Amino acid sequence: MARYLDVHPDNPQPRTLQQIVAALQDDALIAYPTDSGYALGCRIGNREGRDRILRIRGLDDKHHFTLMCRDFSQLGQLVHVDNSAFRAIRSATPGPYTFILTAMPEVPKRLLHPKKKTVGVRIPDNTFVQALLEELGEPLLSSTLILPGETEPRTMGWEIKEDLDHEVDIVVEAGEVKPEPTTVVDWSEGYPEVIRRGAGDPDRF
């Protein structure tokens, strides 16, 4: 059964954050709130966690995973950001955007799109997630929690606990969550292409 942890949305309790990080380091899979619905998350090195995310969401290996980053400098260590993308991405973050970019060699191949060698990256505008990433000290492998047959991300922690009690290890509750997923911008070809319109204003690209 999944643990259900209630976190203060504006002042996350350090002890609870430490519990979540300890579980992640022990290869747990968590369901956690972001600035655009709930997401599933695990450590980048957690191979089984990646497979569990695909299984829960009913996705294949072509799925674009997202690396949830604390700040722009951490994002820049994972993907190639050329001059054309630098200013635009920097001005849009933190916020409800996911950017698809060519991955650096350090990113494990199993996380990349098999043909394009790209990965999604984003910097969330959410106090809890920022505190979690700070405590974890590394990006979080993530995917929006949209279940098979559904079109919007989950927003209620207690519902996730009921539906995924034996699929995830921790469900985090941290206040109100918006149901709209991120706006996804593919910048892997050197120019922006909006491939999903979501919570972030797509017109700025």
Side-chain angles (χ1 to χ4, degrees):
M1 290 175 61
R3 278 193 287 166
Y4 189 78
L5 298 177
D6 208 336
V7 178
H8 194 285
D10 301 316
N11 297 290
Q13 306 92 315
R15 193 170 180 179
T16 308
L17 287 172
Q18 290 163 8
Q19 288 180 347
I20 298 169
V21 166
L24 285 167
Q25 290 172 339
D26 200 29
D27 285 347
L29 177 64
I30 68 171
Y32 68 103
T34 77
D35 51 346
S36 58
Y38 265 78
L40 297 167
C42 65
R43 283 183 60 247
I44 288 177
N46 184 353
R47 290 172 178 266
E48 184 187 359
R50 168 198 174 274
D51 295 341
R52 289 169 71 186
I53 290 172
L54 291 176
R55 188 165 63 246
I56 290 169
R57 290 208 50 201
L59 300 168
D60 60 23
D61 283 342
K62 294 184 179 67
H63 173 64
H64 257 122
F65 279 98
T66 298
L67 301 178
M68 194 75 81
C69 302
R70 185 180 68 251
D71 52 31
F72 197 84
S73 63
Q74 193 176 66
L75 180 151
Q77 295 170 10
L78 300 168
V79 291
H80 179 70
V81 184
D82 63 22
N83 292 336
S84 67
F86 182 88
R87 286 186 181 178
I89 293 176
R90 183 140 199 178
S91 68
T93 56
Y97 294 92
T98 299
F99 299 98
I100 296 173
L101 291 154
T102 303
M104 293 293 197
E106 294 81 3
V107 180
K109 286 184 179 179
R110 66 181 180 280
L111 307 183
L112 309 183
H113 187 282
K115 291 183 179 177
K116 297 182 178 180
K117 307 305 180 190
T118 50
V119 70
V121 286
R122 90 177 194 90
I123 303 170
D125 186 13
N126 179 279
T127 301
F128 160 71
V129 184
Q130 283 288 341
L132 178 64
L133 292 169
E134 181 75 32
E135 184 70 28
L136 183 62
E138 62 179 277
L140 196 62
L141 176 63
S142 198
S143 181
T144 306
L145 181 39
I146 302 174
L147 295 177
E150 298 180 358
T151 57
E152 291 186 341
R154 291 297 185 99
T155 60
M156 306 292 288
W158 62 270
E159 284 186 347
I160 296 168
K161 173 78 163 78
E162 284 187 355
D163 293 345
L164 298 180
D165 202 21
H166 299 285
E167 302 289 337
V168 301
D169 302 304
I170 290 176
V171 177
V172 179
E173 178 72 57
E176 187 178 353
V177 180
K178 295 177 182 177
E180 206 170 1
T182 57
T183 291
V184 180
V185 183
D186 188 339
W187 218 302
S188 60
E189 299 295 330
Y191 57 87
E193 180 184 359
V194 176
I195 60 174
R196 181 176 74 192
R197 290 175 173 262
D201 179 10
D203 293 337
R204 66 191 302 165
F205 301 102

